[in-house]
Amino acid sequence: MLLRLLERSYVALPKTIENQVRDATPEQLNSWADRMLDADALEVVFRESSI
């Protein structure tokens, strides 16, 4: 679901991002989904931070 939402909100996703999402833990997915609500760029969603 996160991949679908990212594709609709931003441009076509780089393969590295697709792979990162597919291999993510539930905690990472939740964190990225939360960030996506306020992010104005794809890079902001996937910036490094502690979970």
Side-chain angles (χ1 to χ4, degrees):
M1 180 57 78
L2 181 59
L3 285 173
R4 181 180 173 133
L5 293 172
L6 288 167
E7 288 173 349
R8 289 191 56 128
S9 297
Y10 304 102
V11 295
L13 298 177
K15 203 63 159 161
T16 55
I17 296 293
E18 281 188 42
N19 292 338
Q20 190 175 354
V21 171
R22 291 183 195 285
D23 295 337
T25 66
E27 292 82 12
Q28 287 172 310
L29 293 171
N30 285 335
S31 177
W32 295 331
D34 288 343
R35 283 191 214 153
M36 191 186 144
L37 296 174
D38 297 318
D40 58 356
L42 186 60
E43 297 79 25
V44 175
V45 176
F46 292 95
R47 75 177 185 269
E48 290 293 321
S49 72
S50 58
I51 295 179

